Amino acid sequence: MAQSGHQGSHAGSAKSWLAVIIILIGFTVGGVALTLGPNWLFVWIGVGICAVGGLLALAFDIFSDVIVDAPREMSVQEHHSPFEHRSITS
């Protein structure tokens, strides 16, 4: 896996957010165009904007911004659901 220069936060880098914002803009343009007509020219413009954002996401390698934490160790606590069927023994 490629090492990223981004460390210490789950927020991601600015270039990754740029790609995501471009994809959201394309999705919004296409969605509004579908509800207002549908206006197929603007639907395809929205698809194109999403595609550009997707290419930027691939170029920026946005998945390398994810920081995987160590597994959390939690103690197991016994609990009972009110819907659980259990027999009462004395």
Side-chain angles (χ1 to χ4, degrees), residues 8 12 21 30 32 35 38 41 47 58 60-61 64-66 77 81 83 86 90:
I21 288 170
V32 169
T35 59
L41 174 64
V47 169
L58 287 173
F60 295 155
D61 194 22
S64 68
D65 282 345
V66 176
Q77 298 177 355
S81 168
F83 302 108
R86 53 192 160 134
S90 320

Side-chain angles (χ1 to χ4, degrees), residues 38-59:
N39 187 339
W40 293 107
L41 174 64
F42 284 105
V43 169
W44 288 110
I45 289 173
V47 169
I49 294 170
C50 284
V52 168
L55 291 174
L56 285 174
L58 287 173

Side-chain angles (χ1 to χ4, degrees), residues 4-89:
S4 172
H6 173 73
Q7 297 294 326
S9 171
H10 291 281
S13 64
K15 62 185 179 179
S16 297
W17 279 109
L18 175 67
V20 170
I21 288 170
I22 290 172
I23 293 169
L24 286 173
I25 289 170
F27 186 81
T28 303
V29 168
V32 169
L34 275 175
T35 59
L36 295 179
N39 187 339
W40 293 107
L41 174 64
F42 284 105
V43 169
W44 288 110
I45 289 173
V47 169
I49 294 170
C50 284
V52 168
L55 291 174
L56 285 174
L58 287 173
F60 295 155
D61 194 22
I62 66 173
F63 291 116
S64 68
D65 282 345
V66 176
I67 298 172
V68 179
D69 292 335
R72 296 180 184 162
E73 297 292 329
M74 298 177 69
S75 62
V76 178
Q77 298 177 355
E78 185 176 344
H79 65 280
H80 298 284
S81 168
F83 302 108
E84 180 181 12
H85 297 290
R86 53 192 160 134
S87 61
I88 300 175
T89 58

